[in-house]
């Protein structure tokens, strides 16, 4: 009697599974095991400011050959300041909700550098208000950018990795609100979008592992950006910090960067399908 695992399997399907090449993420024998992005080209969506800009700075500090910000808005003063220090930090105007725009941007990166090694799907937005006040257009805007934008950026990057034979890494920015509510500034739809991002990373990691592509996510807690600066101005901020039990401050965006660098580097060759919470014990709230 044949093994159970091979029963009722169509011959064509079985042939397809065995014929597909498996691309291992294990580095070469002479790999130094230094955590570095040397010789890596990385694209980061939404890196003109905020968390994305912080990630870009840490990637550049860890010797990334090129870092591209794929952003819809024009670069500002913060971007220009970082670019003065790192001329290999560049901007490509991109609408991550448009598959055509994303594909054009990724192709531009490859045409300019000959490769792409990592994609950080970071662009996103939030809206904090009571759930009873959300209308469909607001939900559609959140999901279109945070979920569909991240998904298609990952899909387009993965296709390019496969085309070029590159063992690429995809990192998505989720949120601690994907685990639990943000009691300081509730937003049920935002938390739902970030839970979707975190969840789909697991399945994408499983599907694309045979191509040598790793997919992971990072879940930040409170980070000081243009979207969260107001948190520290709340009249009860000092009282909250007194009973917080964790780090009594917002994070600098660069404090997230080390985790992104690790996941983008070859040193994380056996790390896929995970989420790394970086929240200063924000779960205590």
């Amino acid at each position: 009697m044949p093994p159970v695992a091979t029963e009722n399997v169509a011959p064509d399907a079985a042939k397809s599974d065995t014929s597909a090449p498996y691309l291992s993420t294990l580095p070469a024998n002479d790999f130094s095991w230094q955590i570095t992005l040397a010789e890596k080209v990385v694209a980061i969506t939404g890196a003109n400011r905020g968390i994305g800009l912080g990630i870009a700075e840490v990637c550049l500090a860890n010797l990334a050959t090129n870092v591209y910000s794929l952003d819809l808005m024009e670069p500002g003063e913060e971007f220009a300041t970082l670019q003065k220090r790192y001329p290999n930090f560049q901007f490509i105007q991109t609408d991550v909700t448009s598959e055509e725009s994303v594909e054009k941007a990724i192709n531009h990166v490859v045409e300019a550098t000959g490769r792409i090694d990592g994609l950080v799907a970071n662009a996103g937005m939030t809206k904090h208000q009571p759930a009873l006040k959300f209308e469909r257009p607001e939900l559609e805007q959140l999901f279109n950018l945070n979920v569909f934008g991240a998904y298609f950026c990952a899909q387009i990057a993965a296709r390019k990795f496969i085309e070029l034979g590159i063992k690429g890494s995809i990192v998505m920015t989720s949120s601690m609100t994907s685990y639990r509510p943000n009691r300081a500034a509730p937003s049920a739809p935002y938390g739902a979008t970030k839970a979707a991002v975190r969840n789909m990373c697991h399945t994408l990691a499983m599907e694309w592992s045979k191509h040598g592509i790793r997919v992971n996510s990072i879940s930040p807690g409170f980070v000081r950006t243009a979207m969260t600066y107001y948190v520290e101005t709340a009249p009860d901020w000092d009282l909250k910090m007194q009973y917080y039990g964790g780090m009594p401050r917002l994070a600098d965006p660069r404090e997230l960067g080390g985790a992104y660098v690790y996941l983008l580097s070859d040193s994380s060759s056996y790390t896929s399908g995970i989420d790394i919470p970086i929240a200063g014990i924000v779960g205590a709230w």
Side-chain angles (χ1 to χ4, degrees):
M1 180 177 179
V4 175
T6 60
E7 286 183 354
N8 302 321
V9 177
D12 289 344
K15 182 178 179 181
S16 174
D17 287 341
T18 57
S19 62
Y22 179 84
L23 186 58
S24 172
T25 61
L26 186 66
N29 290 334
D30 59 353
F31 183 59
S32 70
W33 295 106
Q34 180 183 14
I35 299 177
T36 176
L37 296 181
E39 300 182 11
K40 298 286 188 187
V41 175
V42 178
I44 306 171
T45 67
N48 283 6
R49 65 175 186 172
I51 290 176
L53 186 68
I55 297 167
E57 181 172 350
V58 181
C59 287
L60 290 160
N62 283 272
L63 307 180
T65 301
N66 295 93
V67 175
Y68 287 87
S69 172
L70 278 48
D71 206 318
L72 185 61
M73 61 184 293
E74 289 292 330
E77 187 175 327
E78 289 179 303
F79 181 98
T81 299
L82 185 59
Q83 191 178 49
K84 284 181 182 178
R85 291 170 51 201
Y86 298 100
N88 51 336
F89 181 38
Q90 298 175 55
F91 163 68
I92 303 175
Q93 190 164 46
T94 311
D95 178 1
V96 300
T97 67
S98 163
E99 296 164 66
E100 181 181 0
S101 180
V102 173
E103 189 159 23
K104 182 178 179 181
I106 296 296
N107 286 338
H108 177 92
V109 171
V110 174
E111 289 166 7
T113 66
R115 62 187 300 111
I116 180 170
D117 300 279
L119 182 281
V120 178
N122 169 76
M125 65 174 294
T126 186
K127 186 173 181 65
H128 296 293
Q129 65 183 25
L132 292 174
K133 293 186 177 181
F134 271 100
E135 302 292 339
R136 178 179 287 272
E138 295 169 313
L139 268 69
E140 289 178 345
Q141 186 180 30
L142 279 168
F143 275 83
N144 195 35
L145 176 58
N146 295 0
V147 181
F148 300 152
Y151 178 83
F152 286 114
C153 283
Q155 184 188 64
I156 291 166
R159 286 173 175 161
K160 186 59 67 172
F161 293 150
I162 294 168
E163 175 189 328
L164 298 174
I166 288 174
K167 296 182 284 188
S169 174
I170 295 169
V171 187
M172 297 190 186
T173 300
S174 181
S175 168
M176 285 302 293
T177 60
S178 71
Y179 288 95
R180 56 185 66 89
N182 179 350
R183 290 188 286 172
S187 176
Y190 175 74
T193 65
K194 291 304 185 177
V197 165
R198 180 165 62 87
N199 182 275
M200 71 180 171
C201 282
H202 303 315
T203 304
L204 295 179
M206 178 189 69
E207 288 193 30
W208 296 343
S209 63
K210 68 180 181 182
H211 301 295
I213 298 170
R214 296 179 294 103
V215 187
N216 297 284
S217 62
I218 303 287
S219 285
F222 281 128
V223 183
R224 185 179 291 106
T225 69
M227 293 195 297
T228 61
Y229 71 91
Y230 64 89
V231 174
E232 291 175 302
T233 66
D236 61 345
W237 174 253
D238 290 339
L239 183 62
K240 284 179 178 177
M241 289 298 94
Q242 183 179 346
Y243 297 106
Y244 179 34
M247 296 182 183
R249 62 180 177 83
L250 303 185
D252 183 297
R254 293 170 295 186
E255 292 183 283
L256 309 177
Y260 285 88
V261 167
Y262 166 70
L263 293 175
L264 291 166
S265 76
D266 289 338
S267 291
S268 61
S269 55
Y270 199 58
T271 305
S272 196
I274 70 162
D275 179 75
I276 302 179
I278 305 180
I281 319 298
V282 76
W285 280 25

